[in-house]
Structure formats: structure tokens, C-alpha cells
Amino acid sequence: MNQPPYGTPPPPPVPPTAPPGYGQPVPPTTPTGYGPSVPHPGYGQPVQPTAPTGYGPSVPHPGYGQPVQPTAPMGFGPPPPSYAPHPAPADAPEFLAVDRRNSVVVDETGVTFECNGVTAEFPWPEIRSVHYQPSGNGKSLMVAVIHADGILYECVVDAKRGERLHEWLNQLALVIGHYRYYRPGA
């Protein structure tokens, strides 16, 4: 066996070498036959834009970070004119159906539901369409509003008598027909 005797010092350490890709940068070289070697301008030096030939004179870019001069004095301008709501015609029809818990109102402002003490108001500009029909048992009026965002809201009002339901249906047809063509605020 060829083993060094005990107490021999270890071999001297080898100085570390940098792995490939680390250390001093290698200057770029251009293979022969591919044109002259052009030094890179480096970072931080602005490159001047030039317009392609035939597209007019080259206008220098003003640069970034330069303040823009305001064209108008700072502050608020004059107040906008006040916008009055559309005046309702003198003969603006209204519809009202009420039972002990719910109600439906259709007038020049829009459609209002009150269901068990909760009120929902739908102005005409926010309404896509209004639908109504008698309930399956023929004793209630069902009114639905489809909001501009597509959500359906519904209110059911008990008529108790068939004659009252027919009156409501006839009156509601006239009022909805009027506001379908005359849309206040639209």
C-alpha cells in the first residue's frame, strides 16, 4: 500500500477560478465578413431619433420630464348651467295598485315597488322594460321591471276581486304605453 505517512501536510490549495459567464466582460467581436465592428453606445446615453427618409423634416423630441405649460388659468371655471328636470305634461298618467303589504306606482319619474316595507325606485333612464300580467289564480297583478343591467325585479299586488284586477290591467296598459314613447329624462 502506498499511503502517505501520518503527519504529511495536504497539497497546496488551488486558487478558485470564475465559472464561465462571470468575471471580466469579453469584448464583442464581429465575425469576419459581417461588416465593421461598431462599439455599443452604452447605457445612459440618449439615442437621437431620426425620421425615415421621405417622411418630412426630423423634429427633435422635447424629452421626458419637462413641464407642460398650462394653457388656461388654474382653478375652477364658471359653474355649469343648472339642469331642471323635464317638465311633466299636464296630463301625465299615473298608475297605483296597493294591497295591505305591497304596492306598485308608475308615473313620470319611473316605477316604484314597495314589497313588505322595502321600497325600490326605478327611474325611467335605468329601466330596460316593464312587464305585467295577472297571476295564475287570477287574483293578483304581477309587475316586473328589467333594469338596464339586465336584473329582473318583481312585485305582486293582490287585487282580491277579479273586477279590480281587470281595471288595473287596463289602466296599467295605458300608462305603460304612454311612458314607452314619452321617456322623461331619456
Side-chain angles (χ1 to χ4, degrees):
M1 284 206 197
N2 285 337
Q3 288 189 359
Y6 292 108
T8 350
V14 177
T17 59
Y22 294 98
Q24 296 294 327
V26 178
T29 59
T30 305
T32 59
Y34 288 100
S37 176
V38 178
H40 189 270
Y43 295 105
Q45 297 175 358
V47 176
Q48 295 296 325
T50 59
T53 58
Y55 287 99
S58 175
V59 178
H61 190 271
Y64 296 103
Q66 296 182 4
V68 176
Q69 298 298 325
T71 58
M74 301 299 264
F76 300 103
S82 62
Y83 297 101
H86 291 281
D91 60 344
E94 295 180 349
F95 172 78
L96 174 65
V98 181
D99 67 9
R100 57 190 164 114
R101 291 176 297 152
N102 304 331
S103 67
V104 174
V105 177
V106 181
D107 59 10
E108 69 271 357
T109 62
V111 179
T112 303
F113 290 161
E114 185 171 342
C115 299
N116 296 320
V118 178
T119 303
E121 296 179 348
F122 306 98
W124 286 115
E126 296 177 8
I127 295 176
R128 183 179 293 174
S129 62
V130 179
H131 304 274
Y132 58 92
Q133 67 181 16
S135 64
N137 64 4
K139 295 184 179 182
S140 301
L141 172 66
M142 299 168 36
V143 180
V145 169
I146 298 180
H147 196 264
D149 60 9
I151 299 176
L152 179 120
Y153 299 90
E154 186 177 49
C155 185
V156 178
V157 182
D158 292 329
K160 292 193 179 186
R161 296 188 333 260
E163 298 89 36
R164 176 178 284 170
L165 179 62
H166 289 296
E167 290 173 13
W168 282 351
L169 289 169
N170 291 334
Q171 185 181 4
L172 186 56
L174 295 173
V175 173
I176 295 293
H178 174 79
Y179 291 117
R180 181 182 301 163
Y181 298 107
Y182 171 74
R183 297 293 285 255

